[in-house]
Amino acid sequence: MSLSVGIHDLSFATGEFVLPHTALAEYNGTEIGKYHLGIGQESMSVPAADEDIVTMAAAAAAPIVARHGTDKIRTVVFATESSIDQAKAAGIYVHSLIGLPSATRVVELKQACYGATAALQFAIGLVRRDPAQQVLVIASDVSKYDLDSPGEATQGAAAVAMLVSADPALVRIEDPSGLFTADVMDFWRPNYRDTALVDGHESIGAYLQAVEGSWKDYTEQGGRSLEEFAAFCYHQPFTKMAYKAHRHLLNYCGHDTDQHDIDRAIGHTTAYNRVIGNSYTASVYLGLAALLDRSEDLTGRPVAFLSYGSGSVAEFFAGTVVAGYKDHLRTEANREAIDRRKPVDYAGYRELHEHKLPADGGDHANPEQTTGPFRLAGISGHKRIYTKR
Ligand code: COA
């Protein structure tokens, strides 16, 4: 029998503040149905001025280290598309903040919202090479579009940390993967911009093409048939996208697109993304967290994953939920991460959106806003200063 490798633990963190879509709708005169039903979003996480991808990542990863220790973790793969440095891997700050040993390799990976899936697959390869080792995979992103643009309603922020190991306690990842790459300009962020550029309608079409392409390859690689899956975790830039994608896949495979069946296949996976907003590369794994936390018993059931990153790369793969998984979930902590956020009004959100660390090389302290375990205290001589509570 081949070695069982997959997700042993999963923990997430999000920003300090939350902007309800009602506040955005009131400001820009949008009928709220467009947000609640049309794109399927209720609110979005907004990081405090003293939070970023590192503080969220450390907050997500710290409970994993607290539960499992650091002895077996020899690799950290940090996936992000909202990177803070062109050279240094953000994971090195996290490595220090959560006290990992020096005998660790740390690297950053990027391919839009797909990066965390590449990290997961590379981690599985490393564990296969030496099953005694564990890999800490972190996906952390702040989704930021221009103010007053159509993308503004699909922002958000979160970090997911996953411990990848042999004999995983949550989900065993299966071998066949369906792959798809196409050179499209649906979403991108040149190095000189803080906000992403997007052709929203093009990106929806590109995503659906990638669903078809990766599914086709998955079946050619000997994957499961559609009927075998208990649920489908899709990348969710906004939760309605998961519905569009699943309906598209069912159509492509010649299946009925009964709304009740679609709800049953993906409804639970949208619960966290609906209130957190787009967390880019973390989003598909927030979908998994919500599914495991909310679903009836999934023991032994296959779950499908469709990871899409604009530009574009997609991967369709499967995981089987492991017996006893419920004992290892972090359902209470996940609820707390969402419920602890403080509502921010539209003016406050706009101020945070425009907040930037000065680039003059001087000493600058950030306002003390976050109540989370880690802070971006400021910048000095172009060096970010992080602190731990
Ligand atoms: N009540 C209910 N639904 C409504 C509505 C109302 N009052 N008003 C509009 N809608 C629906 C529309 O019919 C549409 O649904 P459909 O897509 O099923 O046809 C949906 O709300 C969105 O409306 P649309 O006019 O397309 O919105 P938009 O031009 O503002 O663009 C996005 C929406 C998602 C494309 C835009 O927010 C965006 O660019 N986001 C960033 C890119 C992104 O997330 N891409 C995803 C792939 S990675």
Side-chain angles (χ1 to χ4, degrees):
M1 209 175 118
S2 75
L3 182 72
S4 161
V5 182
I7 303 168
H8 192 48
D9 196 1
L10 188 159
S11 158
F12 75 78
T14 183
E16 179 75 10
F17 298 114
V18 58
L19 179 75
H21 275 75
T22 45
L24 179 60
E26 199 177 311
Y27 166 80
N28 64 18
T30 297
E31 151 66 35
I32 193 62
K34 172 170 172 180
Y35 294 153
H36 286 174
L37 302 171
I39 60 170
Q41 289 304 132
E42 260 171 48
S43 57
M44 51 186 163
S45 288
V46 179
D50 51 349
E51 290 179 321
D52 68 0
I53 56 164
V54 168
T55 61
M56 288 192 302
I64 289 189
V65 163
R67 186 185 276 180
H68 304 275
T70 61
D71 293 357
K72 295 184 184 164
I73 300 174
R74 287 182 59 80
T75 304
V76 178
V77 190
F78 192 114
T80 187
E81 59 175 298
S82 30
S83 189
I84 52 162
D85 196 290
Q86 300 285 5
K88 179 165 174 157
I92 298 178
Y93 297 109
V94 177
H95 172 276
S96 155
L97 287 169
I98 64 174
L100 292 178
S102 59
T104 311
R105 67 165 74 79
V106 181
V107 71
E108 189 166 311
L109 267 190
K110 174 185 71 186
Q111 181 9 65
C113 305
Y114 165 75
T117 298
L120 174 63
Q121 295 292 0
F122 298 166
I124 289 169
L126 285 172
V127 174
R128 283 254 159 80
R129 195 172 73 172
D130 178 1
Q133 296 186 19
Q134 298 176 328
V135 179
L136 181 61
V137 167
I138 301 175
S140 185
D141 268 314
V142 177
S143 162
K144 212 168 167 184
Y145 294 96
D146 283 343
L147 293 167
D148 305 319
S149 73
E152 186 179 16
T154 59
Q155 299 176 111
V160 169
M162 294 183 280
L163 191 63
V164 177
S165 77
D167 291 324
L170 297 180
V171 178
R172 181 166 54 80
I173 301 298
E174 300 177 357
D175 273 351
S177 259
L179 305 175
F180 181 81
T181 288
D183 184 3
V184 285
M185 292 302 283
D186 59 331
F187 168 108
W188 67 107
R189 184 169 68 83
N191 286 346
Y192 49 81
R193 286 184 62 97
D194 291 330
T195 51
L197 294 164
V198 64
D199 181 338
H201 294 281
E202 165 100 12
S203 77
I204 293 171
Y207 184 132
L208 298 179
Q209 283 303 307
V211 169
E212 266 181 55
S214 56
W215 169 258
K216 184 171 176 291
D217 188 49
Y218 177 71
T219 56
E220 286 167 9
Q221 300 300 316
R224 293 176 180 272
S225 65
L226 214 54
E227 307 79 58
E228 290 179 66
F229 292 110
F232 292 75
C233 293
Y234 286 93
H235 165 54
Q236 295 170 36
F238 50 97
T239 65
K240 179 82 169 287
M241 190 65 226
Y243 286 86
K244 286 177 187 288
H246 196 55
R247 186 169 287 111
H248 189 80
L249 182 60
L250 292 173
N251 267 324
Y252 179 73
C253 296
H255 286 239
D256 284 346
T257 52
D258 176 70
Q259 188 58 38
H260 182 68
D261 289 346
I262 295 178
D263 281 341
R264 214 176 36 214
I266 58 175
H268 287 310
T269 73
T270 63
Y272 295 157
N273 286 290
R274 192 175 168 83
V275 293
I276 286 175
N278 193 358
S279 57
Y280 289 160
T281 195
S283 120
V284 63
Y285 299 101
L286 281 182
L288 173 64
L291 175 72
L292 297 178
D293 283 346
R294 298 168 58 93
S295 209
E296 70 289 0
D297 188 17
L298 287 168
T299 301
R301 305 292 306 279
V303 172
F305 295 84
L306 183 284
S307 179
Y308 173 76
S310 289
S312 72
V313 176
E315 181 160 346
F316 192 104
F317 63 103
T320 307
V321 181
V322 173
Y325 75 98
K326 279 187 185 283
D327 298 338
H328 304 275
L329 296 179
R330 297 178 178 275
T331 312
E332 268 311 305
N334 294 346
R335 187 173 303 127
E336 167 66 12
I338 289 170
D339 290 350
R340 67 181 284 279
R341 296 173 303 168
K342 299 187 190 78
V344 62
D345 61 15
Y346 187 80
Y349 144 76
R350 221 173 152 98
E351 203 174 299
L352 286 165
H353 193 282
E354 284 171 350
H355 174 80
K356 254 176 127 162
L357 281 174
D360 60 7
D363 295 340
H364 301 279
N366 263 333
E368 202 158 334
Q369 294 179 344
T370 182
T371 55
F374 303 97
R375 280 189 74 227
L376 170 57
I379 191 161
S380 173
H382 296 294
K383 296 172 193 152
R384 286 183 180 231
I385 314 291
Y386 291 100
T387 55
K388 182 179 170 179
R389 283 224 165 74

